Amino acid sequence: MTDAAALPGQPRGGVLSGPATPRAVNVLAPNASAMTLDGTNTWIVAEPDSELAVVIDPGPLDDVHLRAVVDAAEKAGKRVALTLLTHGHPDHAGGAARFAELTGTKVRALDPALRLGDEGLAAGNVVTTGGLELRVVPTPGHTADSLCFHLPADRAVLTGDTVLGRGTTVVAHPDGRLGDYLDSLRRLRSLAVDDGVHTVLPGHGPVLEDAQGVVEFYLAHRAHRLAQVETAVEDGYTSPSQVVAHVYADVDRSLWPAAELSVRAQLDYLKEHGLIGRE
């Protein structure tokens, strides 16, 4: 059995649902799959002595799960006062409108189409609810609208799908762009190095105890994959499906459609930087 401390990010063992930091509690959605890992992590975040809570990513449109989130907050003596979204994929945001009905909250997101209420989210915003402070960190790449939330009091960052608790994420071409994603990873690395963030609260998978370690792993992984894709193209594998079959041969075939999205993003990146497609 592999020691968790030896894995990227030092994933925390044990049950995924429940308290993760003094201010963050996870309610795991029942939507486990190859793409969503154990399911979507819905985060309830609040100051310990406050009656108000913020929910980040209510998850899919599943009434049982949405009500479980409300119940978990109420059992902790909290009232959900605000809903935030890391991005618009249905496993994170599909239940947002229904959750807003259940809680009477506004929904804030980067994408105006996902908002319920007048306020959105943007770089530099600081969300303050019940004494809680969440700093909005723009992290496009997985999707164009991806955000992370820095929780300074817990030295933690909620990463949505930008960094997962296990494995690596998809750059969801054409909305997601590899150059943006690499910049976002570097931004998260700065949070770890310069702002002392050590805990990653991901959108899927276990909590990670070594933020810098997992971001460094992600950057190295992306560099390695990019080199593999460039070599594959030079060797005559020119279509995205051909590159996937060659480069991702060791990956479960059920994940190849997702891998092809990342490959398309990598091919675009290589073309933009003049590394392939030259006459």
Side-chain angles (χ1 to χ4, degrees):
M1 186 173 182
T2 303
D3 182 0
L7 297 174
Q10 298 180 15
R12 187 183 298 176
V15 179
L16 293 177
S17 281
T21 70
R23 291 166 180 79
V25 174
N26 181 30
V27 181
L28 183 65
N31 61 333
S33 72
M35 288 297 296
T36 60
L37 305 181
D38 310 274
T40 300
N41 295 333
T42 294
W43 292 101
I44 303 171
V45 190
E47 284 296 316
D49 59 353
S50 175
E51 296 179 356
L52 302 180
V54 175
V55 165
I56 298 173
D57 289 353
L61 182 53
D62 180 319
D63 225 53
V64 173
H65 170 64
L66 300 176
R67 290 181 184 277
V69 176
V70 175
D71 289 346
E74 290 178 347
K75 286 178 181 177
K78 313 289 185 186
R79 175 177 65 82
V80 179
L82 180 64
T83 302
L84 304 177
L85 299 177
T86 62
H87 65 296
H89 280 168
D91 57 314
H92 293 258
R98 174 59 178 151
F99 190 70
E101 290 178 2
L102 292 173
T103 58
T105 60
K106 296 179 179 179
V107 177
R108 295 181 64 181
L110 178 62
D111 185 349
L114 299 171
R115 301 172 188 168
L116 292 174
D118 297 330
E119 284 190 286
L121 292 170
N125 285 170
V126 179
V127 177
T128 54
T129 301
L132 180 76
E133 179 182 307
L134 287 167
R135 300 175 184 173
V136 178
V137 183
T139 50
H142 169 66
T143 60
D145 69 330
S146 287
L147 299 170
C148 292
F149 297 99
H150 178 198
L151 178 56
D154 285 348
R155 297 173 63 192
V157 61
L158 297 106
T159 55
D161 282 356
T162 299
V163 173
L164 305 179
R166 185 170 65 252
T168 55
T169 199
V170 172
V171 179
H173 180 275
D175 185 43
R177 295 175 56 84
L178 181 58
D180 291 342
Y181 186 64
L182 295 175
D183 287 343
S184 293
L185 291 177
R186 296 182 188 110
R187 194 168 295 121
L188 291 177
R189 181 172 58 188
S190 293
L191 277 183
V193 173
D194 300 331
D195 295 283
V197 167
H198 62 75
T199 302
V200 174
L201 306 176
H204 303 278
V207 172
L208 301 176
E209 305 283 8
D210 177 15
Q212 184 178 350
V214 73
V215 172
E216 296 286 6
F217 169 79
Y218 265 54
L219 285 165
H221 170 79
R222 284 296 167 198
H224 177 63
R225 283 296 195 207
L226 196 60
Q228 287 181 307
V229 170
E230 183 178 2
T231 299
V233 172
E234 289 172 352
D235 289 344
Y237 300 93
T238 55
S239 74
S241 60
Q242 289 175 333
V243 173
V244 169
H246 181 68
V247 172
Y248 292 79
D250 59 339
V251 174
D252 187 325
R253 282 176 174 257
S254 68
L255 297 176
W256 280 14
E260 184 168 324
L261 296 179
S262 284
V263 164
R264 288 179 180 274
Q266 290 171 92
L267 291 172
D268 278 358
Y269 180 89
L270 290 169
K271 289 173 184 175
E272 289 164 5
H273 288 77
L275 298 173
I276 61 172
R278 291 170 293 190
E279 298 296 328

